[in-house]
Amino acid sequence: MGMPITTKGQVTIPKPMRDHMGLAPGSRVEFVLDAEGQVILQKAGTLTESRFARARRSASRRNSLTTEEIMKLTRGEEWGEAPVDAG
């Protein structure tokens, strides 16, 4: 079913869709383009986050190590120990 666009650029969202999405007067919606160029209408604030973005956010909250501390761990160094010269 096609919906007309008004001169103001407004479109009526059919009631069954509003009910399904939990939209009430004053609700906000977002229009999102997916990877294939399809437009997705969703309730504002419900953006789907990629698994990579979730992993980055989760890791940044869980892990407050500095870059230097991470490098020491990857080299097998203790926290207060200076790097051993192999020469």
Side-chain angles (χ1 to χ4, degrees):
M1 146 175 59
M3 302 301 293
I5 298 176
T6 68
T7 56
K8 290 180 162 185
Q10 298 171 334
V11 176
T12 300
I13 302 171
K15 180 149 177 38
M17 291 292 209
R18 293 192 314 264
D19 291 344
H20 175 75
M21 295 175 69
L23 300 174
S27 295
R28 299 185 66 80
V29 295
E30 297 171 327
F31 297 90
V32 181
L33 282 176
D34 70 8
E36 289 81 39
Q38 298 285 326
V39 177
I40 299 169
L41 172 68
Q42 59 190 25
K43 194 171 185 176
T46 59
L47 284 176
T48 305
E49 191 175 30
S50 77
R51 63 182 176 180
F52 301 109
R54 277 195 310 275
R56 273 194 310 272
R57 185 172 40 79
S58 176
S60 67
R61 272 188 296 188
R62 232 188 350 228
N63 189 356
S64 60
L65 297 176
T66 66
T67 302
E68 183 177 332
E69 291 168 331
I70 293 169
M71 294 305 293
K72 283 182 178 181
L73 287 173
T74 59
R75 294 181 190 129
E77 299 170 14
E78 293 298 322
W79 291 106
E81 185 179 299
V84 177
D85 188 14

